[in-house]
């Protein structure tokens, strides 16, 4: 059985970057997203980018400004679910940015925003204007959709418990090392093994955002296209154990890590799912195939990223 949750799925990731033109060029020309709208907010430009395979109006929003996570957005199935969740969070003492209302950005919808325990802005919305998506063709190296977002936090257990208590996320699997303890919790809000993950880091920041490709062939062609663009592959190509998905991580022009993935596991019967603790020091945990560069502390450090300057500061759009 699946647990009934008020959040239905991951909708989009909104980032602010200082080198807006470079980032936009990279995401459209190389990463394979399509710009569907632009706007001006707070003196800076905003670009709405969709994945061709996704019905979401957009899956990434990039704003011109200081480097930060603007927000992470989730969907809900109905207005009642949005209102129920808002009332619940307000009653639980969660700091609300704005109550449910019609959203005036591209794609519209009805939703509200709040801060998570670390101060990231989270949006939950419904009734957005879905777009006509199309089936990604064989060998086409374009993202199908946004797969998952991963954040760093200095207090892994506190942040994880907050998402379990307030948003009904569940831990699917955990990475740990004998020396450092738990390192990452993979979190689900539907039957995807993870739509979100939380990593232990030195500070709050974006760990990586991951985009699903049609299959292994398209994932490999996509990775090759990014390599030829001159972007650096931080880690990959390989297949993780937790989630069973393939991975290839790259640094974008703003210094954020972006991933191409495919074949992420689903958990269709939550009653019979038992989370595993996977030891990162076993080589097969991180890289089943043995094709990726070795995960070292140096490679891990690449995902610490710059301190998120958006904590407890709602974005201007
Ligand atoms: Fe990932």
């Amino acid at each position: 059985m699946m647990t009934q949750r008020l959040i239905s799925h991951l909708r989009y990731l909104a980032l602010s970057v200082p080198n807006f033109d470079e980032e936009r060029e990279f995401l459209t020309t190389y990463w394979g997203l399509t710009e569907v709208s632009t706007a001006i907010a707070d003196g800076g430009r905003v670009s709405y980018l969709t994945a061709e395979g996704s019905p979401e109006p957009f899956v990434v929003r990039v704003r011109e400004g200081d480097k930060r996570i603007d927000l992470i957005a989730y969907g809900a199935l109905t207005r009642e679910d949005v209102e129920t969740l808002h009332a619940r969070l307000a009653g639980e003492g969660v700091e609300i940015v704005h109550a449910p209302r019609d959203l005036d950005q591209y794609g519209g919808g009805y939703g509200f925003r709040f801060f998570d325990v670390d101060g990231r802005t989270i949006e939950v919305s419904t009734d957005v204007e879905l777009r006509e998506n199309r089936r990604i063709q064989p060998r086409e190296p374009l993202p199908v959709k946004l797969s998952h977002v991963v954040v760093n936090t200095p207090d892994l257990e506190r942040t994880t418990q907050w998402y379990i208590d307030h948003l009904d996320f569940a831990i699917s699997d955990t990475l740990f090392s004998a020396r450092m303890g738990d390192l990452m919790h993979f979190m689900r809000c539907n039957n995807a093994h993870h739509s979100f993950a939380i990593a232990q880091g030195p500070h709050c920041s974006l760990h990586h955002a991951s985009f699903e490709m049609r299959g292994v062939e398209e994932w490999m062609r996509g990775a090759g296209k990014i390599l030829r663009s001159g972007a650096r592959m931080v880690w990959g190509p390989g297949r993780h154990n937790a989630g069973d998905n393939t991975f290839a991580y790259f640094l974008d022009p703003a210094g954020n890590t972006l991933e191409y993935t495919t074949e992420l596991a689903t958990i269709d019967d939550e009653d019979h799912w038992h989370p595993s603790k996977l030891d990162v020091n076993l080589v097969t945990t991180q890289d089943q195939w043995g094709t990726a560069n070795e995960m070292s502390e140096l490679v891990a450090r690449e995902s610490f990223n710059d301190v998120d300057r958006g904590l407890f500061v709602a974005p201007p759009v």
Side-chain angles (χ1 to χ4, degrees):
M1 253 183 58
M2 285 301 296
T3 305
Q4 289 300 309
R5 296 184 171 89
L6 293 167
I7 280 179
S8 56
H9 65 291
L10 176 65
R11 180 153 269 164
Y12 69 91
L13 171 66
L15 297 170
S16 172
V17 300
N19 49 344
F20 178 86
D21 288 315
E22 257 185 297
E23 184 77 4
R24 180 192 201 180
E25 167 81 8
F26 176 77
L27 291 175
T28 53
T29 306
Y30 297 107
W31 201 253
L33 302 180
T34 304
E35 186 172 74
V36 286
S37 185
T38 57
I40 299 286
D42 215 29
R45 291 171 291 170
V46 182
S47 172
Y48 295 89
L49 303 158
T50 198
E52 286 295 329
S54 170
E56 292 293 332
F58 59 97
V59 297
V60 172
R61 191 188 81 187
V62 181
R63 182 173 66 85
E64 187 175 23
D66 287 343
K67 183 177 173 181
R68 59 167 284 183
I69 299 175
D70 267 354
L71 64 89
I72 302 170
Y74 296 94
L77 292 180
T78 64
R79 288 183 172 235
E80 291 69 33
D81 283 357
V82 167
E83 284 163 5
T84 303
L85 184 61
H86 168 256
R88 175 179 152 186
L89 296 185
E92 291 168 346
V94 170
E95 194 177 334
I96 305 293
V97 173
H98 70 72
R101 69 178 191 213
D102 289 329
L103 301 174
D104 52 14
Q105 71 172 342
Y106 178 77
Y110 177 78
F112 73 110
R113 292 180 180 178
F114 53 94
F115 292 128
D116 75 8
V117 66
D118 294 316
R120 298 175 199 87
T121 304
I122 309 296
E123 177 185 279
V124 177
S125 66
T126 191
D127 278 356
V128 297
E129 287 163 34
L130 297 180
R131 57 188 288 279
E132 211 162 300
N133 56 330
R134 68 174 180 84
R135 194 177 292 274
I136 301 298
Q137 296 303 303
R139 303 195 168 190
E140 204 176 12
L142 299 178
V144 176
K145 65 172 195 171
L146 179 63
S147 170
H148 55 273
V149 172
V150 182
V151 297
N152 287 306
T153 174
D155 193 338
L156 178 64
E157 293 317 313
R158 184 180 80 138
T159 304
T160 302
Q161 198 57 49
W162 189 92
Y163 275 86
I164 293 170
D165 291 344
H166 297 286
L167 298 179
D168 298 327
F169 273 86
I171 296 177
S172 294
D173 284 309
T174 294
L175 299 180
F176 81 100
S177 93
R179 191 168 66 79
M180 300 170 72
D182 286 353
L183 297 172
M184 187 183 285
H185 292 305
F186 295 90
M187 312 289 289
R188 68 180 181 278
C189 62
N190 53 34
N191 72 342
H193 176 276
H194 56 282
S195 302
F196 181 54
I198 307 169
Q200 177 70 47
H203 48 240
C204 289
S205 56
L206 179 69
H207 185 286
H208 73 270
S210 180
F211 297 78
E212 185 181 301
M213 306 298 273
R214 184 184 199 265
V216 171
E217 177 72 29
E218 295 74 20
W219 164 77
M220 193 56 112
R221 284 172 184 263
K225 193 170 66 158
I226 303 306
L227 284 173
R228 285 175 178 164
S229 80
R232 191 157 64 85
M233 182 159 68
V234 178
W235 192 33
R239 188 190 284 276
H240 290 309
N241 198 328
D244 202 34
N245 52 316
T246 69
F247 64 91
Y249 298 92
F250 300 91
L251 280 182
D252 76 5
N256 289 315
T257 303
L258 302 182
E259 176 187 27
Y260 276 154
T261 191
T262 193
E263 298 188 355
L264 180 69
T266 57
I267 296 173
D268 294 307
D269 181 0
E270 292 194 281
D271 294 342
H272 295 92
W273 178 260
H274 301 290
S276 296
K277 285 215 172 196
L278 301 156
D279 185 346
V280 295
N281 293 314
L282 294 175
V283 287
T284 51
T285 290
Q286 298 273 56
D287 175 16
Q288 294 187 53
W289 292 336
T291 47
N293 47 319
E294 202 182 328
M295 172 47 77
S296 63
E297 286 205 13
L298 235 73
V299 174
R301 218 175 283 259
E302 301 263 19
S303 296
F304 288 167
N305 210 337
D306 300 313
V307 177
D308 189 355
R309 299 171 73 172
L311 304 177
F312 292 106
V313 183
V317 61

